[in-house]
Amino acid sequence: MNAALEINSLNVAIDRIPILRNVSLQVPAGKMVGLIGRNGAGKTTLMRAIMGLMPVQAERLVCAGQDLQQLKPFQLARRGISYMPEDRRLIPALTVEENILLPAWANGIHEAQKRLNWIYGLMPEVSAFRTRRALQLSGGQQKLVALARALMPGHNLLLLDEPFEGVAPVLSRRLTEVIANLRQGGLSVILSESDDTHSAGLVDHVYHIERGVVTAR
Ligand code: ATP
């Protein structure tokens, strides 16, 4: 079953300063939604809030009928909800494959090998450098590995935070292709970008975010 995400009146404040204000947003099951906003608009904060990585107040924050506010991060991972941070955060000394498997080990996810095979099918180039250490990769290759790692748990809802940021044109074309192919896996996706350069052709719906306020387009 694929997850739909429903957010109603979500608020986040940091040091009592409102960062996200009354955010409401829906991701229908199996659809891809764009979240477009300039630097500092609140895209990362919204993704971190969905993942339970910061305190939030929300009337409704539900994925596949489950209140996310009641779940711990490892429980989100076990339910197939995953996040690809903008700043890759790979562990440099581990191999590519170890980096990808890490969320499965950390969160007790079964079927890691099956997921790994699916991920390598989606990105054969990642399979080709799976024994290299993360520190030996280019920035663009690291983005692919960060996506692969997010896909290890992320079989229901995937949050991609500015995946194209800082990626050279050739690799961003490849990344676009890989993200488009995620549709075959029936994933629900939020894809953030500072403008819609790469996401326009990928997403089913677009939301704009400006100074912590989200509007549907
Ligand atoms: P970017 O691409 O630059 O990360 P963004 O749209 O993802 O932009 P956020 O990182 O979510 O934006 O930041 C939203 C706002 O919240 C910004 O004004 C930022 O300064 C503020 N903010 C985020 N984290 C903190 C923090 N830990 N302490 C104080 N302010 C913060």
Side-chain angles (χ1 to χ4, degrees):
M1 191 193 74
N2 299 310
L5 176 71
E6 292 170 61
I7 303 176
N8 258 333
S9 283
L10 177 145
N11 289 278
V12 169
I14 298 176
D15 294 336
R16 298 210 192 139
I17 299 166
I19 304 290
L20 297 178
R21 287 175 286 166
N22 265 326
V23 172
S24 294
L25 173 155
Q26 274 86 41
V27 186
K31 298 286 182 193
M32 218 173 271
V33 160
L35 180 67
I36 309 297
R38 275 177 249 175
N39 286 351
K43 304 180 296 293
T44 300
T45 306
L46 179 54
M47 292 194 174
R48 289 178 49 80
I50 296 168
M51 295 305 294
L53 299 171
M54 58 200 315
V56 341
Q57 286 192 313
E59 254 172 37
R60 195 167 163 79
L61 177 55
V62 168
C63 185
Q66 183 91 46
D67 184 357
L68 300 189
Q69 294 176 92
Q70 306 295 326
L71 300 180
K72 306 235 177 313
F74 79 91
Q75 293 173 309
L76 266 74
R78 285 189 190 171
R79 283 166 175 77
I81 301 170
S82 184
Y83 164 55
M84 172 183 167
E86 187 188 347
D87 56 353
R88 308 178 294 265
R89 289 191 214 152
L90 300 180
I91 298 185
L94 294 186
T95 67
V96 164
E97 186 159 293
E98 286 165 345
N99 268 285
I100 299 170
L101 284 169
L102 209 54
W105 296 331
N107 299 301
I109 291 167
H110 305 299
E111 299 194 320
Q113 191 57 48
K114 196 172 143 203
R115 297 283 311 154
L116 196 59
N117 293 343
W118 181 72
I119 291 164
Y120 285 159
L122 200 64
M123 291 181 267
E125 60 271 67
V126 173
S127 169
F129 52 66
R130 66 182 184 278
T131 56
R132 274 197 236 164
R133 290 184 196 285
L135 58 83
Q136 296 172 296
L137 305 179
S138 72
Q141 289 171 326
Q142 288 187 29
K143 277 272 186 193
L144 288 178
V145 177
L147 175 59
R149 182 188 51 189
L151 285 168
M152 176 51 70
H155 57 89
N156 271 329
L157 175 68
L158 191 62
L159 311 179
L160 302 177
D161 195 5
E162 301 199 49
F164 302 105
E165 186 60 31
V167 176
V170 173
L171 253 160
S172 69
R173 274 197 292 279
R174 175 65 186 134
L175 206 48
T176 305
E177 211 171 71
V178 172
I179 293 171
N181 286 338
L182 293 178
R183 285 183 181 284
Q184 294 162 12
L187 279 165
S188 307
V189 179
I190 301 183
L191 170 57
S192 79
E193 200 175 9
S194 54
D195 53 38
D196 66 358
T197 308
H198 298 93
S199 57
L202 284 170
V203 300
D204 303 289
H205 305 283
V206 177
Y207 287 90
H208 279 266
I209 181 163
E210 199 176 339
R211 289 192 218 118
V213 176
V214 169
T215 46
R217 194 171 73 181

mmCIF file of all heavy atoms in Angstrom, residues 12-15 17-20 35-48 54 83 86 161-162 165 192-194 209 211-212, ligand 1:
data_model
loop_
_atom_site.group_PDB
_atom_site.id
_atom_site.type_symbol
_atom_site.label_atom_id
_atom_site.label_comp_id
_atom_site.label_asym_id
_atom_site.label_seq_id
_atom_site.Cartn_x
_atom_site.Cartn_y
_atom_site.Cartn_z
ATOM 1 N N VAL A 12 5.714 25.495 13.313
ATOM 2 C CA VAL A 12 7.008 25.227 13.952
ATOM 3 C C VAL A 12 7.587 26.567 14.377
ATOM 4 O O VAL A 12 7.578 27.534 13.600
ATOM 5 C CB VAL A 12 7.998 24.528 12.977
ATOM 6 C CG1 VAL A 12 9.401 24.503 13.548
ATOM 7 C CG2 VAL A 12 7.535 23.108 12.653
ATOM 8 N N ALA A 13 8.085 26.610 15.596
ATOM 9 C CA ALA A 13 8.770 27.810 16.065
ATOM 10 C C ALA A 13 10.143 27.400 16.585
ATOM 11 O O ALA A 13 10.296 26.320 17.157
ATOM 12 C CB ALA A 13 7.960 28.477 17.164
ATOM 13 N N ILE A 14 11.115 28.232 16.324
ATOM 14 C CA ILE A 14 12.448 27.986 16.889
ATOM 15 C C ILE A 14 12.771 29.197 17.770
ATOM 16 O O ILE A 14 12.690 30.336 17.317
ATOM 17 C CB ILE A 14 13.519 27.817 15.785
ATOM 18 C CG1 ILE A 14 13.183 26.601 14.898
ATOM 19 C CG2 ILE A 14 14.908 27.654 16.398
ATOM 20 C CD1 ILE A 14 14.112 26.389 13.718
ATOM 21 N N ASP A 15 13.112 28.905 19.029
ATOM 22 C CA ASP A 15 13.329 29.995 19.999
ATOM 23 C C ASP A 15 12.163 30.988 19.975
ATOM 24 O O ASP A 15 12.366 32.200 19.939
ATOM 25 C CB ASP A 15 14.647 30.730 19.720
ATOM 26 C CG ASP A 15 15.842 29.839 19.960
ATOM 27 O OD1 ASP A 15 15.709 28.862 20.742
ATOM 28 O OD2 ASP A 15 16.903 30.093 19.369
ATOM 29 N N ILE A 17 10.408 31.943 17.717
ATOM 30 C CA ILE A 17 10.177 32.665 16.458
ATOM 31 C C ILE A 17 9.465 31.723 15.502
ATOM 32 O O ILE A 17 9.961 30.628 15.229
ATOM 33 C CB ILE A 17 11.515 33.134 15.835
ATOM 34 C CG1 ILE A 17 12.210 34.084 16.801
ATOM 35 C CG2 ILE A 17 11.309 33.778 14.464
ATOM 36 C CD1 ILE A 17 13.660 34.345 16.477
ATOM 37 N N PRO A 18 8.280 32.118 14.998
ATOM 38 C CA PRO A 18 7.557 31.230 14.082
ATOM 39 C C PRO A 18 8.352 31.033 12.787
ATOM 40 O O PRO A 18 8.751 32.009 12.157
ATOM 41 C CB PRO A 18 6.252 31.978 13.797
ATOM 42 C CG PRO A 18 6.219 33.136 14.711
ATOM 43 C CD PRO A 18 7.589 33.393 15.228
ATOM 44 N N ILE A 19 8.591 29.782 12.438
ATOM 45 C CA ILE A 19 9.327 29.473 11.204
ATOM 46 C C ILE A 19 8.347 28.945 10.159
ATOM 47 O O ILE A 19 8.385 29.345 9.007
ATOM 48 C CB ILE A 19 10.439 28.432 11.466
ATOM 49 C CG1 ILE A 19 11.404 28.912 12.569
ATOM 50 C CG2 ILE A 19 11.198 28.121 10.174
ATOM 51 C CD1 ILE A 19 12.309 30.061 12.206
ATOM 52 N N LEU A 20 7.451 28.046 10.561
ATOM 53 C CA LEU A 20 6.393 27.567 9.656
ATOM 54 C C LEU A 20 5.058 27.972 10.239
ATOM 55 O O LEU A 20 4.812 27.780 11.439
ATOM 56 C CB LEU A 20 6.451 26.045 9.518
ATOM 57 C CG LEU A 20 7.711 25.456 8.900
ATOM 58 C CD1 LEU A 20 7.615 23.935 8.876
ATOM 59 C CD2 LEU A 20 7.937 25.995 7.485
ATOM 60 N N LEU A 35 7.795 21.370 -3.811
ATOM 61 C CA LEU A 35 7.770 22.401 -2.766
ATOM 62 C C LEU A 35 8.820 23.430 -3.165
ATOM 63 O O LEU A 35 10.019 23.193 -3.042
ATOM 64 C CB LEU A 35 8.102 21.766 -1.409
ATOM 65 C CG LEU A 35 8.125 22.716 -0.210
ATOM 66 C CD1 LEU A 35 6.717 23.252 0.080
ATOM 67 C CD2 LEU A 35 8.678 22.016 1.024
ATOM 68 N N ILE A 36 8.325 24.558 -3.681
ATOM 69 C CA ILE A 36 9.228 25.531 -4.279
ATOM 70 C C ILE A 36 9.323 26.769 -3.396
ATOM 71 O O ILE A 36 8.297 27.346 -3.017
ATOM 72 C CB ILE A 36 8.710 25.967 -5.687
ATOM 73 C CG1 ILE A 36 8.404 24.746 -6.563
ATOM 74 C CG2 ILE A 36 9.696 26.891 -6.373
ATOM 75 C CD1 ILE A 36 9.557 23.855 -6.899
ATOM 76 N N GLY A 37 10.550 27.147 -3.085
ATOM 77 C CA GLY A 37 10.739 28.359 -2.283
ATOM 78 C C GLY A 37 12.211 28.706 -2.192
ATOM 79 O O GLY A 37 13.076 27.833 -2.257
ATOM 80 N N ARG A 38 12.449 30.000 -2.029
ATOM 81 C CA ARG A 38 13.838 30.472 -1.958
ATOM 82 C C ARG A 38 14.557 29.960 -0.723
ATOM 83 O O ARG A 38 13.918 29.442 0.202
ATOM 84 C CB ARG A 38 13.825 32.004 -1.873
ATOM 85 C CG ARG A 38 13.741 32.647 -3.223
ATOM 86 C CD ARG A 38 13.664 34.124 -3.044
ATOM 87 N NE ARG A 38 12.316 34.542 -3.443
ATOM 88 C CZ ARG A 38 11.859 35.771 -3.324
ATOM 89 N NH1 ARG A 38 12.596 36.702 -2.785
ATOM 90 N NH2 ARG A 38 10.658 36.072 -3.732
ATOM 91 N N ASN A 39 15.866 30.193 -0.701
ATOM 92 C CA ASN A 39 16.652 29.834 0.485
ATOM 93 C C ASN A 39 16.076 30.522 1.709
ATOM 94 O O ASN A 39 15.761 31.706 1.659
ATOM 95 C CB ASN A 39 18.113 30.281 0.322
ATOM 96 C CG ASN A 39 18.857 29.387 -0.660
ATOM 97 O OD1 ASN A 39 18.325 28.362 -1.075
ATOM 98 N ND2 ASN A 39 20.051 29.783 -1.024
ATOM 99 N N GLY A 40 15.928 29.759 2.763
ATOM 100 C CA GLY A 40 15.426 30.329 4.006
ATOM 101 C C GLY A 40 13.916 30.369 4.088
ATOM 102 O O GLY A 40 13.348 30.827 5.076
ATOM 103 N N ALA A 41 13.226 29.878 3.062
ATOM 104 C CA ALA A 41 11.753 29.934 3.050
ATOM 105 C C ALA A 41 11.144 28.955 4.060
ATOM 106 O O ALA A 41 10.030 29.174 4.545
ATOM 107 C CB ALA A 41 11.227 29.637 1.651
ATOM 108 N N GLY A 42 11.854 27.856 4.326
ATOM 109 C CA GLY A 42 11.345 26.892 5.314
ATOM 110 C C GLY A 42 11.204 25.467 4.789
ATOM 111 O O GLY A 42 10.590 24.620 5.442
ATOM 112 N N LYS A 43 11.792 25.174 3.631
ATOM 113 C CA LYS A 43 11.636 23.836 3.015
ATOM 114 C C LYS A 43 12.241 22.743 3.909
ATOM 115 O O LYS A 43 11.588 21.737 4.197
ATOM 116 C CB LYS A 43 12.298 23.815 1.624
ATOM 117 C CG LYS A 43 11.776 24.893 0.684
ATOM 118 C CD LYS A 43 12.442 24.862 -0.676
ATOM 119 C CE LYS A 43 13.934 25.149 -0.660
ATOM 120 N NZ LYS A 43 14.294 26.524 -0.263
ATOM 121 N N THR A 44 13.491 22.974 4.331
ATOM 122 C CA THR A 44 14.168 21.978 5.176
ATOM 123 C C THR A 44 13.434 21.818 6.498
ATOM 124 O O THR A 44 13.236 20.700 6.993
ATOM 125 C CB THR A 44 15.630 22.415 5.439
ATOM 126 O OG1 THR A 44 16.292 22.508 4.178
ATOM 127 C CG2 THR A 44 16.362 21.422 6.319
ATOM 128 N N THR A 45 13.004 22.935 7.065
ATOM 129 C CA THR A 45 12.296 22.873 8.350
ATOM 130 C C THR A 45 11.028 22.043 8.214
ATOM 131 O O THR A 45 10.717 21.229 9.089
ATOM 132 C CB THR A 45 11.967 24.302 8.849
ATOM 133 O OG1 THR A 45 13.176 25.060 8.883
ATOM 134 C CG2 THR A 45 11.346 24.277 10.226
ATOM 135 N N LEU A 46 10.307 22.210 7.095
ATOM 136 C CA LEU A 46 9.078 21.434 6.914
ATOM 137 C C LEU A 46 9.388 19.939 6.815
ATOM 138 O O LEU A 46 8.716 19.109 7.445
ATOM 139 C CB LEU A 46 8.322 21.918 5.664
ATOM 140 C CG LEU A 46 7.027 21.168 5.338
ATOM 141 C CD1 LEU A 46 6.067 21.151 6.535
ATOM 142 C CD2 LEU A 46 6.331 21.777 4.121
ATOM 143 N N MET A 47 10.426 19.595 6.082
ATOM 144 C CA MET A 47 10.771 18.169 5.957
ATOM 145 C C MET A 47 11.219 17.593 7.296
ATOM 146 O O MET A 47 10.822 16.487 7.674
ATOM 147 C CB MET A 47 11.862 17.980 4.897
ATOM 148 C CG MET A 47 11.320 18.301 3.517
ATOM 149 S SD MET A 47 12.370 17.738 2.191
ATOM 150 C CE MET A 47 11.310 18.138 0.786
ATOM 151 N N ARG A 48 12.006 18.352 8.018
ATOM 152 C CA ARG A 48 12.464 17.878 9.337
ATOM 153 C C ARG A 48 11.276 17.738 10.298
ATOM 154 O O ARG A 48 11.225 16.834 11.122
ATOM 155 C CB ARG A 48 13.541 18.812 9.903
ATOM 156 C CG ARG A 48 14.870 18.694 9.126
ATOM 157 C CD ARG A 48 15.937 19.662 9.649
ATOM 158 N NE ARG A 48 16.096 19.621 11.097
ATOM 159 C CZ ARG A 48 16.778 18.705 11.766
ATOM 160 N NH1 ARG A 48 17.385 17.736 11.106
ATOM 161 N NH2 ARG A 48 16.854 18.754 13.082
ATOM 162 N N MET A 54 12.103 17.751 14.770
ATOM 163 C CA MET A 54 11.990 18.972 15.563
ATOM 164 C C MET A 54 10.575 19.102 16.103
ATOM 165 O O MET A 54 9.648 18.509 15.552
ATOM 166 C CB MET A 54 12.382 20.198 14.745
ATOM 167 C CG MET A 54 11.598 20.411 13.490
ATOM 168 S SD MET A 54 12.514 21.476 12.381
ATOM 169 C CE MET A 54 13.052 22.741 13.518
ATOM 170 N N TYR A 83 13.784 10.413 4.358
ATOM 171 C CA TYR A 83 14.163 11.800 4.080
ATOM 172 C C TYR A 83 15.577 11.835 3.515
ATOM 173 O O TYR A 83 16.475 11.191 4.052
ATOM 174 C CB TYR A 83 14.062 12.545 5.416
ATOM 175 C CG TYR A 83 14.730 13.879 5.548
ATOM 176 C CD1 TYR A 83 14.457 14.910 4.656
ATOM 177 C CD2 TYR A 83 15.596 14.147 6.605
ATOM 178 C CE1 TYR A 83 15.047 16.154 4.818
ATOM 179 C CE2 TYR A 83 16.177 15.393 6.787
ATOM 180 C CZ TYR A 83 15.903 16.392 5.885
ATOM 181 O OH TYR A 83 16.477 17.621 6.056
ATOM 182 N N GLU A 86 19.493 17.785 2.333
ATOM 183 C CA GLU A 86 20.167 18.533 1.271
ATOM 184 C C GLU A 86 21.677 18.290 1.317
ATOM 185 O O GLU A 86 22.324 18.136 0.295
ATOM 186 C CB GLU A 86 19.840 20.028 1.471
ATOM 187 C CG GLU A 86 20.321 20.899 0.366
ATOM 188 C CD GLU A 86 20.141 22.373 0.689
ATOM 189 O OE1 GLU A 86 19.437 22.717 1.658
ATOM 190 O OE2 GLU A 86 20.725 23.183 -0.038
ATOM 191 N N ASP A 161 15.070 16.756 -0.236
ATOM 192 C CA ASP A 161 15.350 18.173 0.019
ATOM 193 C C ASP A 161 16.397 18.683 -0.970
ATOM 194 O O ASP A 161 17.580 18.343 -0.874
ATOM 195 C CB ASP A 161 15.840 18.355 1.470
ATOM 196 C CG ASP A 161 15.789 19.813 1.897
ATOM 197 O OD1 ASP A 161 15.295 20.657 1.110
ATOM 198 O OD2 ASP A 161 16.243 20.109 3.021
ATOM 199 N N GLU A 162 15.947 19.474 -1.903
ATOM 200 C CA GLU A 162 16.797 20.085 -2.933
ATOM 201 C C GLU A 162 17.820 19.104 -3.520
ATOM 202 O O GLU A 162 19.026 19.349 -3.470
ATOM 203 C CB GLU A 162 17.505 21.318 -2.353
ATOM 204 C CG GLU A 162 16.509 22.353 -1.852
ATOM 205 C CD GLU A 162 17.100 23.738 -1.702
ATOM 206 O OE1 GLU A 162 17.746 24.200 -2.658
ATOM 207 O OE2 GLU A 162 16.914 24.341 -0.641
ATOM 208 N N GLU A 165 20.463 20.575 -5.982
ATOM 209 C CA GLU A 165 21.304 21.687 -5.545
ATOM 210 C C GLU A 165 22.795 21.311 -5.669
ATOM 211 O O GLU A 165 23.233 20.295 -5.143
ATOM 212 C CB GLU A 165 20.948 22.020 -4.085
ATOM 213 C CG GLU A 165 21.621 23.232 -3.511
ATOM 214 C CD GLU A 165 21.312 24.518 -4.263
ATOM 215 O OE1 GLU A 165 20.195 24.632 -4.821
ATOM 216 O OE2 GLU A 165 22.197 25.390 -4.312
ATOM 217 N N SER A 192 11.745 19.250 -3.010
ATOM 218 C CA SER A 192 11.894 20.699 -2.848
ATOM 219 C C SER A 192 12.961 21.234 -3.794
ATOM 220 O O SER A 192 13.901 20.540 -4.171
ATOM 221 C CB SER A 192 12.215 21.052 -1.393
ATOM 222 O OG SER A 192 13.568 20.823 -1.114
ATOM 223 N N GLU A 193 12.750 22.475 -4.185
ATOM 224 C CA GLU A 193 13.689 23.137 -5.096
ATOM 225 C C GLU A 193 13.536 24.645 -4.888
ATOM 226 O O GLU A 193 12.464 25.108 -4.501
ATOM 227 C CB GLU A 193 13.354 22.743 -6.554
ATOM 228 C CG GLU A 193 14.494 22.970 -7.498
ATOM 229 C CD GLU A 193 14.254 22.485 -8.933
ATOM 230 O OE1 GLU A 193 13.130 22.104 -9.288
ATOM 231 O OE2 GLU A 193 15.234 22.525 -9.702
ATOM 232 N N SER A 194 14.608 25.408 -5.171
ATOM 233 C CA SER A 194 14.492 26.856 -4.964
ATOM 234 C C SER A 194 13.677 27.496 -6.093
ATOM 235 O O SER A 194 13.046 28.531 -5.908
ATOM 236 C CB SER A 194 15.869 27.499 -4.833
ATOM 237 O OG SER A 194 16.642 27.160 -5.938
ATOM 238 N N ILE A 209 6.397 27.931 -1.058
ATOM 239 C CA ILE A 209 6.631 28.286 0.343
ATOM 240 C C ILE A 209 7.413 29.594 0.378
ATOM 241 O O ILE A 209 8.411 29.767 -0.335
ATOM 242 C CB ILE A 209 7.332 27.140 1.122
ATOM 243 C CG1 ILE A 209 7.549 27.529 2.578
ATOM 244 C CG2 ILE A 209 8.644 26.705 0.474
ATOM 245 C CD1 ILE A 209 7.848 26.352 3.500
ATOM 246 N N ARG A 211 8.555 32.524 3.352
ATOM 247 C CA ARG A 211 8.615 32.924 4.769
ATOM 248 C C ARG A 211 7.730 32.044 5.650
ATOM 249 O O ARG A 211 6.942 32.540 6.462
ATOM 250 C CB ARG A 211 8.237 34.395 4.931
ATOM 251 C CG ARG A 211 9.326 35.289 4.383
ATOM 252 C CD ARG A 211 9.114 36.728 4.791
ATOM 253 N NE ARG A 211 9.483 37.601 3.698
ATOM 254 C CZ ARG A 211 8.663 38.417 3.070
ATOM 255 N NH1 ARG A 211 7.405 38.512 3.420
ATOM 256 N NH2 ARG A 211 9.090 39.165 2.096
ATOM 257 N N GLY A 212 7.825 30.755 5.425
ATOM 258 C CA GLY A 212 7.138 29.795 6.299
ATOM 259 C C GLY A 212 5.664 29.606 6.015
ATOM 260 O O GLY A 212 4.980 28.886 6.733
HETATM 261 P P1 ATP B 1 17.769 26.540 2.554
HETATM 262 O O1 ATP B 1 17.745 25.938 1.215
HETATM 263 O O2 ATP B 1 18.597 27.772 2.646
HETATM 264 O O3 ATP B 1 18.055 25.547 3.649
HETATM 265 P P2 ATP B 1 15.019 26.380 3.374
HETATM 266 O O4 ATP B 1 13.848 26.822 2.573
HETATM 267 O O5 ATP B 1 15.259 24.934 3.502
HETATM 268 O O6 ATP B 1 16.290 27.100 2.810
HETATM 269 P P3 ATP B 1 15.068 26.442 6.254
HETATM 270 O O7 ATP B 1 16.452 25.886 6.350
HETATM 271 O O8 ATP B 1 13.952 25.554 6.589
HETATM 272 O O9 ATP B 1 14.848 27.048 4.796
HETATM 273 O O10 ATP B 1 15.004 27.743 7.161
HETATM 274 C C1 ATP B 1 13.802 28.473 7.349
HETATM 275 C C2 ATP B 1 14.033 29.618 8.295
HETATM 276 O O11 ATP B 1 14.247 29.102 9.589
HETATM 277 C C3 ATP B 1 15.249 30.484 7.964
HETATM 278 O O12 ATP B 1 14.902 31.826 8.195
HETATM 279 C C4 ATP B 1 16.288 30.017 8.924
HETATM 280 O O13 ATP B 1 17.154 31.051 9.248
HETATM 281 C C5 ATP B 1 15.454 29.610 10.132
HETATM 282 N N1 ATP B 1 16.069 28.527 10.913
HETATM 283 C C6 ATP B 1 16.200 27.238 10.512
HETATM 284 N N2 ATP B 1 16.810 26.499 11.452
HETATM 285 C C7 ATP B 1 17.079 27.348 12.478
HETATM 286 C C8 ATP B 1 17.692 27.198 13.765
HETATM 287 N N3 ATP B 1 18.157 26.020 14.177
HETATM 288 N N4 ATP B 1 17.779 28.298 14.541
HETATM 289 C C9 ATP B 1 17.284 29.485 14.127
HETATM 290 N N5 ATP B 1 16.694 29.684 12.949
HETATM 291 C C10 ATP B 1 16.595 28.647 12.121
#
